[in-house]
Amino acid sequence: MTDIVETIVNCDGVSVFYGENRAINNISIDIGKQSITAFIGPSGCGKSTFLRTINRMNDTIEGCRIEGRVTVDGQDIYDASVDVVPLRAKVGMVFQKPNPFPKTIYENVAYGPRIHGLARNKSQLDDIVEKALTGAGLWAEVRDRLQDSGTSLSGGQQQRLCIARTIAVEPQIILMDEPCSALDPIATSKIEALMSELSNEYTIIIVTHSMQQAARVSQKTAYFHLGNLIEYGDTKEIFVRPKDPQTEAYISGKIG
Amino acid sequence: MTQEHINAAFDEDLDQLDKLITTMGNLALSQFIAVIDGLSDESVELKSLISNDKKIDALETEIYNKTVEIIAIRSPQANDLRRIITAPKIASFLERIGDYSKNIIKRRSMMMVEESDLAILEKLNGISGIARELLVDVLDSLARLDASKARLVWEGDVELDAQHSIVYKRIYRRMVEKGSSPAEINALFIAKNIERIGDYCTSIAEQVYFIVNGEMLDEKRPKANNIL
Ligand SMILES: Nc1ncnc2c1ncn2[C@@H]1O[C@H](COP(=O)(O)OP(=O)(O)OP(=O)(O)O)[C@@H](O)[C@H]1O
Ligand SMILES: [Mg+2]
């Protein structure tokens, strides 16, 4: 395994329950800084649930309970003193379905920096918006229509708008839950290229059902099955010579 | 991997690829066996050997095309990927084996069988027998994806190298003592071709090992003390 240069997320003995049901079973994993990690596994295995433990999005789900320890940048994020609002800026999230606010393109991006107090005046805010849209590879396409509604963009553009919105608040980590499943191959390629670009600055964790996508974009891959972490290692190893027969069967599309 | 793919068409593709390789392996083997027979029997037909050689060439192309198609359409991973990616390589080794067999027969047909040549031919028979065993075993290891058998072939080639070296030295010494004749020159070529066929068996064995284990046999292969 190529060694993780610097760990940014450390999960230690994490279990997640929905009421009585255990969805995640005692998972420990280290995620490297400024890299792309892919979470793969069959539907219902717990990828989204586990992803959401990293920015406490599970807190919003009634009856959901977590055990174990998750640290981000050395900080125990489940500590009583942690405020989830800045946490979710630091650990941003992009969802399967692009979900821009029903506001202007400009407002979609400016909203976060404004509430987090990242800009002192309008011109600073303009700069942040331009920088985020540029970072998301969308600036050239929207610079002349910043006052149009975010929902007037195409699906692929909307997803890049959501990425711009996420990076505008200067996160360290971006969680992506099947960010391309609603996009065509061209829009998907753009997001993938963008991810590689962004991983120079940010840590990205992506849940994907596309084996090709996981293989193309990530350096590390984690395979989940029935709430367990079955195998975690270099993406190149996982896709050429997986160690676990369950991983082998899943990525080869075989009946398990 | 006996497990089936959820997409049955993928399994059909893999079966087709396997069949092509098996057919090609069988053809290469029957070429080589005809060669061995031909060493002691002048009447072995060159014509059928040449037409088989054309079939082998055509199969190599077919395997190559099938491989490209499967990769493009099925995006194979892991064990599947290793099996598919090695197919054209194995095919090219089999093609070489077929080619060397044909060359051996060409050389053989240039040899007059005089009393003095029989001794040389006998020696060639000895090393061709070892090469045949390697070929049979490696094709078997390929058909059953048996890495330990592949490894045995890989190690066994050292015996062929050693025997080839002995035969080579004998023929060479005779040439020094009695002056070279066309028969001896041809015999040297034949011996070398047989030794090369053994090398290709080793190369196929390495591919089988890679398919099964995902890594190459990387230790130093035992080598006979070889002047060549
Ligand atoms: N809000 C919820 N309430 C109750 N159970 C839930 C909830 N969300 C998920 N689960 C259960 O937890 C398990 C894991 O679900 P999760 O959504 O994390 O899987 P997933 O791997 O992301 O699946 P998919 O690939 O289909 O998105 C499943 O058994 C699911 O039914
Ligand atoms: Mg999910």
Side-chain angles (χ1 to χ4, degrees):
Chain A
M1 218 196 267
T2 25
D3 290 321
I4 290 172
V5 184
E6 197 181 335
T7 297
I8 185 158
V9 178
N10 165 266
C11 299
D12 192 12
V14 170
S15 294
V16 182
F17 302 83
Y18 291 107
E20 290 300 300
N21 283 335
R22 187 193 280 261
I24 292 295
N25 185 22
N26 192 22
I27 288 181
S28 299
I29 192 172
D30 276 347
I31 309 274
K33 202 169 191 166
Q34 288 164 358
S35 65
I36 304 180
T37 302
F39 287 178
I40 60 169
S43 189
C45 70
K47 304 174 296 292
S48 299
T49 300
F50 190 63
L51 194 72
R52 288 195 298 261
T53 62
I54 301 169
N55 69 348
R56 292 185 53 175
M57 284 296 264
N58 285 328
D59 290 13
T60 60
I61 298 171
E62 180 76 26
C64 184
R65 182 168 62 80
I66 168 170
E67 278 175 8
R69 215 173 116 92
V70 180
T71 61
V72 172
D73 225 7
Q75 181 192 31
D76 179 349
I77 62 166
Y78 286 89
D79 191 89
S81 66
V82 170
D83 181 353
V84 296
V85 176
L87 172 69
R88 287 184 195 143
K90 187 169 162 176
V91 187
M93 192 151 190
V94 175
F95 299 86
Q96 177 172 4
K97 261 191 79 196
N99 56 349
F101 309 133
K103 289 187 173 152
T104 64
I105 293 169
Y106 183 94
E107 262 319 299
N108 262 279
V109 184
Y111 179 77
R114 194 182 288 125
I115 61 161
H116 288 287
L118 297 180
R120 257 176 286 133
N121 51 47
K122 169 83 167 103
S123 104
Q124 269 188 2
L125 193 59
D126 288 351
D127 286 348
I128 291 175
V129 169
E130 177 174 344
K131 192 163 161 260
L133 285 167
T134 305
L138 192 59
W139 178 247
E141 288 158 71
V142 300
R143 58 189 304 169
D144 298 325
R145 48 184 291 202
L146 291 174
Q147 296 311 316
D148 288 3
S149 168
T151 53
S152 71
L153 296 170
S154 75
Q157 288 173 328
Q158 286 186 22
Q159 197 60 305
R160 279 179 283 147
L161 179 61
C162 293
I163 291 172
R165 191 174 70 189
T166 306
I167 61 180
V169 294
E170 297 173 6
Q172 290 189 356
I173 302 170
I174 306 172
L175 309 177
M176 298 183 162
D177 198 346
E178 299 179 50
C180 301
S181 58
L183 306 182
D184 78 359
I186 301 289
T188 297
S189 298
K190 284 187 185 161
I191 301 278
E192 288 179 1
L194 178 59
M195 287 172 64
S196 299
E197 187 85 1
L198 293 174
S199 68
N200 292 321
E201 228 177 307
Y202 310 98
T203 302
I204 297 175
I205 307 175
I206 177 177
V207 168
T208 176
H209 279 136
S210 158
M211 298 304 99
Q212 263 56 54
Q213 181 165 66
R216 280 191 301 262
V217 302
S218 71
Q219 287 86 49
K220 297 271 182 191
T221 296
Y223 173 64
F224 295 80
H225 187 58
L226 295 174
N228 296 304
L229 175 62
I230 304 295
E231 188 166 351
Y232 175 47
D234 285 350
T235 297
K236 283 182 189 142
E237 287 292 313
I238 300 268
F239 285 97
V240 177
R241 51 183 88 79
K243 294 195 177 64
D244 195 287
Q246 294 179 76
T247 317
E248 162 88 41
Y250 179 71
I251 64 173
S252 311
K254 288 172 184 162
I255 297 158
Chain B
M1 296 291 136
T2 46
Q3 238 178 354
E4 286 171 2
H5 289 90
I6 295 162
N7 181 350
F10 192 172
D11 286 325
E12 279 165 32
D13 279 340
L14 287 172
D15 281 350
Q16 277 178 34
L17 190 62
D18 278 351
K19 278 203 190 100
L20 288 171
I21 292 177
T22 308
T23 309
M24 196 175 173
N26 287 340
L27 268 175
L29 178 63
S30 71
Q31 288 286 82
F32 189 55
I33 287 175
V35 161
I36 295 172
D37 294 345
L39 283 177
S40 37
D41 176 3
E42 260 185 306
S43 68
V44 165
E45 243 196 286
L46 239 150
K47 248 197 209 152
S48 80
L49 279 169
I50 289 171
S51 93
N52 269 348
D53 197 54
K54 292 220 170 78
K55 279 186 212 152
I56 289 180
D57 289 349
L59 277 163
E60 189 190 6
T61 309
E62 208 178 328
I63 287 169
Y64 193 80
N65 290 336
K66 188 77 199 169
T67 304
V68 171
E69 176 197 309
I70 297 179
I71 290 175
I73 294 176
R74 311 280 175 215
S75 304
Q77 306 285 8
N79 186 71
D80 294 333
L81 175 62
R82 304 200 300 268
R83 227 168 112 187
I84 292 160
I85 207 81
T86 50
K89 213 162 175 181
I90 291 170
S92 94
F93 295 144
L94 290 171
E95 186 276 330
R96 299 312 303 147
I97 290 173
D99 210 45
Y100 277 110
S101 303
K102 191 183 66 186
N103 287 344
I104 291 171
I105 283 304
K106 279 188 183 159
R107 288 283 171 184
R108 170 66 183 89
S109 67
M110 291 181 216
M111 291 171 79
M112 316 283 167
V113 183
E114 292 163 10
E115 202 54 39
S116 59
D117 290 345
L118 285 176
I120 304 179
L121 288 174
E122 229 163 74
K123 291 188 188 93
L124 292 177
N125 259 328
I127 58 169
S128 64
I130 303 174
R132 181 183 59 187
E133 242 175 78
L134 291 176
L135 185 53
V136 169
D137 286 351
V138 83
L139 291 175
D140 185 53
S141 78
L142 174 62
R144 295 189 292 111
L145 292 180
D146 179 344
S148 35
K149 188 154 192 180
R151 198 194 179 98
L152 288 177
V153 171
W154 190 73
E155 289 165 355
D157 182 49
V158 73
E159 171 65 13
L160 178 59
D161 286 349
Q163 291 302 320
H164 165 252
S165 196
I166 293 170
V167 170
Y168 185 93
K169 281 176 195 161
R170 280 205 189 133
I171 299 172
Y172 186 80
R173 195 175 309 132
R174 240 178 69 140
M175 288 166 79
V176 172
E177 282 163 9
K178 301 187 176 159
S180 57
S181 72
E184 277 141 357
I185 293 170
N186 284 321
L188 282 183
F189 274 107
I190 291 174
K192 187 69 200 162
N193 284 349
I194 293 170
E195 188 262 336
R196 295 294 295 142
I197 287 175
D199 288 345
Y200 285 113
C201 292
T202 306
S203 304
I204 295 171
E206 284 171 354
Q207 299 302 312
V208 173
Y209 190 90
F210 174 74
I211 295 172
V212 177
N213 294 311
E215 53 195 36
M216 298 303 288
L217 273 159
D218 54 358
E219 302 122 86
K220 273 240 169 300
R221 198 158 64 91
K223 269 245 175 277
N225 229 353
N226 199 337
I227 53 159
L228 304 173

